[in-house]
Amino acid sequence: MNIASLRCDYMGKSLNEADVTPDPFQQFQRWFDEAVRAELPMANAMTLATVSADNAPSARIVLPNRANGTRCARLRRGGRLPHPF
């Protein structure tokens, strides 16, 4: 199998600050709705990245079970991504 043949083109839209809503939960809902309409597999899968007090980055894959406009709840954690990548 040619691994490159599995790639998808994710360049359908660009990210411009002027197009982003100041409310992160509204923006999440917008992006989630777009992913569902595009029939992406696992539209709720995302990378959650944080930085520790000593500036060490950490990223993990999460699967939120619901979002209610003020938070995402019941995150199921996937594997932690090592740093450096």
Side-chain angles (χ1 to χ4, degrees), residues 14-59:
S14 61
L15 179 60
N16 296 308
E17 190 174 352
D19 298 331
V20 176
T21 177
D23 183 316
F25 298 101
Q26 287 178 358
Q27 188 62 51
F28 168 81
Q29 191 64 55
R30 183 183 297 171
W31 285 334
F32 181 74
D33 292 345
E34 287 177 10
V36 170
R37 279 193 304 275
E39 298 180 355
L40 296 177
M42 297 185 71
N44 65 323
M46 61 189 73
T47 301
L48 176 65
T50 56
V51 178
S52 69
D54 61 347
N55 293 324
S58 176

Side-chain angles (χ1 to χ4, degrees), residues 68-84:
N68 67 6
T70 59
R71 64 183 175 155
C72 290
R74 294 186 180 169
L75 296 175
R76 184 180 315 141
R77 287 180 59 146
R80 182 173 290 257
L81 300 177
H83 180 75

